Amino acid sequence: MKTSIVIMFFLFSIASHSQNISQKLDAAVTKLVADSQFKHGIISLFVVESRKGKIIFDKNSQIGVAPASCQKVITSATAFELLGKDYSYKTKLGYDGKIDSEVLKGNIYIVGSGDPTLGSWRYSSTKENIILTEFEKVIKQNKIQQINGIVLGDDRLWGTQRIPDGWLWQDIGNYYGAGASALNWRENQYDLILRSGKKIGEPVKIIATRPKFLPGIHLINELTSAEKGSGDNTYIYLAPDAETGFIRGTIPINEDSFVVAGSMPDGGKLLAATIYKDIASGKVYPDNNINYLKGKGKWDQPDTIFYTHISPPLDSIMYWFLKKSINLYGEVLVKTIAYEKTKSGTTDNGVKIIRDFWSKKGIERSSLKIIDGSGLSPANRVTTATLVAIMQYAKDQNWFSSFYYDLPEINGIKMKDGYINGVRSYTGYIKNKEGMEYTFSFIVNNFDGSPSTVREKMWKVLDILK
């Protein structure tokens, strides 16, 4: 009898607590709706009790909204499920022709399989100098000291489209808009080091690049100097596979080494040219138009594969994908899923597989209208109910500990955040002081004014769940 009373009291306490939280959330969201900053916006918040899935709060959870980088939790969960947390990429070195007296009378191939970490500074084993040293060492170990042919970056595995449909011209030349290829290098990123003028309106100079060797890229610099403290307002306009681009906008006055990052039109081309330059004793690449293989070309496969570089495992890749919100990783994962399941590594195939997978788990396809893997496109539409359902599904999988660990901790909450123009989003898990656990997704579209102000207002709402 006493046990029954204790259980009933416990259940009553939980119900009372949930009701109290619901009321507080309702009041907080009602206040947001009345806020002039959201007068023309859409606010969507969905919260469930994690253990049983009981709905705690629902505001517009069935309306499709642009999720920004919260879409990465969809890509991440799908990749964990369909590829496995131990999945890795293999980049192969091979050659055709013959080796005669340590001279290769043929071509070296760098055959890509999509590795987004090749040359990345985020892992000790993948840094640019480590990979270059590794590749050059094994080339020489195979009795190749000189080459009479060229070094070919083999980028054919996933076809010719690097950038998903729906990405903005303003984004794709900048580091966060880097396209995904079968052969990526340095996260397909380069840095410009800039020196501004002493007066507002004076021109800005490009004083250096990282890496120093950037063959085939010509930027027309239209940057000017702006007031002190104005920040980075630069945009690079350079399309995939293009050689000429424009850099526009402003940086603050009196900057001696201001760094902005762009996306390389072809990372694999840079890698191939760099390897050739080192093997050929610093010679300029013979023909920048033929040092990469893309689509259906005249080149055959290498006759001999003599080395395979293996990437860090998927759960390690996912750590940086979620923690630092690297769009390139998301686009690579979508294409990897497509290739592994259909042998056609296109974004469209990958997106279809993702939507089909979650449809079989009970999520309506119409609630998951995505066109990329990172959420960079403003045309993506996902419901907060769908994001919560996917997060709830993840909790019951054997890879959940990796997924949970990889999520950033923001404002004391394990959650993925997202931001593109007019969009703020948060999706994650909260465990409060009483031990109650919540799964939530909170997205605002089409707000007005300062994004940082919106962030603070959204955090105050989420603090209710702590």
Side-chain angles (χ1 to χ4, degrees):
M1 183 66 178
K2 289 182 179 180
T3 302
S4 299
I5 293 173
V6 169
I7 292 173
M8 288 177 64
F9 179 78
F10 177 71
L11 293 174
F12 176 79
S13 297
I14 292 176
S16 178
H17 178 79
S18 297
Q19 186 178 18
N20 188 39
I21 291 292
S22 300
Q23 291 171 346
K24 288 182 178 180
L25 288 172
D26 185 59
V29 172
T30 298
K31 185 178 179 181
L32 278 190
V33 171
D35 191 314
S36 61
Q37 196 166 14
F38 308 104
K39 181 177 180 180
H40 303 291
I42 299 174
I43 298 171
S44 181
L45 173 60
F46 192 54
V47 183
V48 302
E49 189 274 315
S50 299
R51 293 191 181 105
K52 300 293 184 180
K54 177 187 175 183
I55 297 174
I56 301 298
F57 185 80
D58 183 349
K59 175 71 174 180
N60 295 327
S61 72
Q62 297 298 329
I63 294 178
V65 288
S69 282
C70 277
Q71 188 164 311
K72 289 180 172 67
V73 301
I74 302 170
T75 304
S76 178
T78 312
F80 268 125
E81 189 77 349
L82 298 183
L83 300 175
K85 65 185 183 67
D86 297 321
Y87 182 90
S88 61
Y89 296 88
K90 297 175 177 62
T91 304
K92 299 178 180 179
L93 293 182
Y95 66 84
D96 60 17
K98 295 182 178 180
I99 302 171
D100 185 7
S101 300
E102 298 189 335
V103 176
L104 173 62
K105 297 178 180 179
N107 307 299
I108 289 178
Y109 293 71
I110 309 172
V111 184
S113 68
D115 184 359
T117 71
L118 199 68
S120 172
W121 52 94
R122 303 181 198 278
Y123 310 84
S124 60
S125 63
T126 66
K127 292 179 179 178
E128 179 181 8
N129 64 319
I130 298 295
I131 297 296
L132 290 174
T133 300
E134 175 186 329
F135 283 9
E136 290 162 17
K137 180 180 178 181
V138 296
I139 288 170
K140 291 177 179 179
Q141 284 176 344
N142 280 270
K143 309 298 183 183
I144 301 173
Q145 296 294 332
Q146 297 180 44
I147 178 172
N148 280 350
I150 56 177
V151 179
L152 296 159
D154 191 340
D155 196 12
R156 293 176 290 185
L157 193 68
W158 290 348
T160 60
Q161 186 174 353
R162 302 179 193 278
I163 301 293
D165 292 332
W167 279 20
L168 300 180
W169 172 231
Q170 191 179 37
D171 291 335
I172 62 177
N174 302 284
Y175 74 96
Y176 55 85
S181 301
L183 186 59
N184 305 292
W185 178 241
R186 298 184 80 256
E187 296 187 3
N188 296 340
Q189 176 180 322
Y190 65 91
D191 297 329
L192 299 175
I193 295 86
L194 307 172
R195 177 178 295 152
S196 61
K198 296 184 182 300
K199 297 179 181 179
I200 293 173
E202 287 186 345
V204 172
K205 295 180 180 179
I206 301 174
I207 60 173
T209 66
R210 282 195 299 259
K212 293 180 180 180
F213 182 54
L214 287 174
I217 296 178
H218 173 61
L219 290 176
I220 297 172
N221 179 14
E222 299 177 356
L223 285 171
T224 58
S225 307
E227 62 271 15
K228 185 177 180 180
S230 57
D232 181 358
N233 292 291
T234 62
Y235 289 95
I236 301 171
Y237 298 89
L238 181 63
D241 299 314
E243 295 184 350
T244 301
F246 301 84
I247 177 169
R248 297 170 177 148
T250 64
I251 66 170
I253 57 173
N254 297 319
E255 292 286 349
D256 289 329
S257 55
F258 195 92
V259 179
V260 300
S263 64
M264 284 187 286
D266 191 326
K269 183 177 182 179
L270 172 62
L271 173 58
T274 303
I275 293 287
Y276 175 86
K277 182 173 179 288
D278 289 343
I279 294 175
S281 302
K283 292 180 182 178
V284 177
Y285 208 85
D287 187 341
N288 281 326
N289 293 321
I290 59 170
N291 69 323
Y292 70 110
L293 302 180
K294 196 163 187 62
K296 295 181 179 179
K298 65 179 181 178
W299 302 94
D300 295 323
Q301 299 294 328
D303 300 327
T304 303
I305 296 293
F306 59 86
Y307 183 71
T308 300
H309 170 84
I310 300 175
S311 76
L314 184 75
D315 60 352
S316 181
I317 291 172
M318 213 67 76
Y319 174 87
W320 291 109
F321 174 48
L322 293 177
K323 281 282 196 298
K324 293 298 182 181
S325 212
I326 307 168
N327 294 329
L328 170 69
Y329 287 21
E331 304 316 319
V332 163
L333 289 169
V334 169
K335 290 185 174 184
T336 303
I337 289 168
Y339 183 78
E340 291 294 345
K341 299 303 177 183
T342 69
K343 300 305 176 187
S344 176
T346 68
T347 299
D348 287 348
N349 281 347
V351 165
K352 182 180 183 301
I353 291 167
I354 291 171
R355 295 182 74 199
D356 287 346
F357 173 80
W358 292 109
S359 176
K360 293 173 182 175
K361 302 298 180 183
I363 292 175
E364 291 182 293
R365 292 174 58 85
S366 58
S367 73
L368 186 55
K369 291 185 175 181
I370 58 173
I371 59 177
D372 64 22
S374 62
L376 184 59
S377 172
N380 291 301
R381 292 293 181 271
V382 179
T383 68
T384 52
T386 288
L387 285 165
V388 166
I390 290 171
M391 298 294 276
Q392 284 288 91
Y393 176 87
K395 285 177 63 281
D396 297 327
Q397 309 312 309
N398 58 12
W399 42 262
F400 177 68
S401 59
S402 295
F403 177 72
Y404 186 83
Y405 176 77
D406 294 342
L407 286 171
E409 184 167 319
I410 304 167
N411 188 35
I413 303 169
K414 289 291 280 186
M415 61 182 177
K416 186 72 193 81
D417 61 329
Y419 170 67
I420 56 176
N421 189 30
V423 177
R424 274 283 188 191
S425 60
Y426 298 96
T427 299
Y429 306 101
I430 294 176
K431 185 173 183 178
N432 71 9
K433 298 173 184 177
E434 288 77 29
M436 292 291 292
E437 297 179 11
Y438 302 103
T439 307
F440 72 90
S441 183
F442 191 11
I443 301 177
V444 174
N445 278 193
N446 203 42
F447 62 82
D448 188 35
S450 166
S452 60
T453 302
V454 172
R455 177 191 65 200
E456 296 303 321
K457 291 174 181 178
M458 294 177 75
W459 284 5
K460 284 184 179 179
V461 175
L462 292 176
D463 284 345
I464 293 170
L465 294 170
K466 290 181 177 178

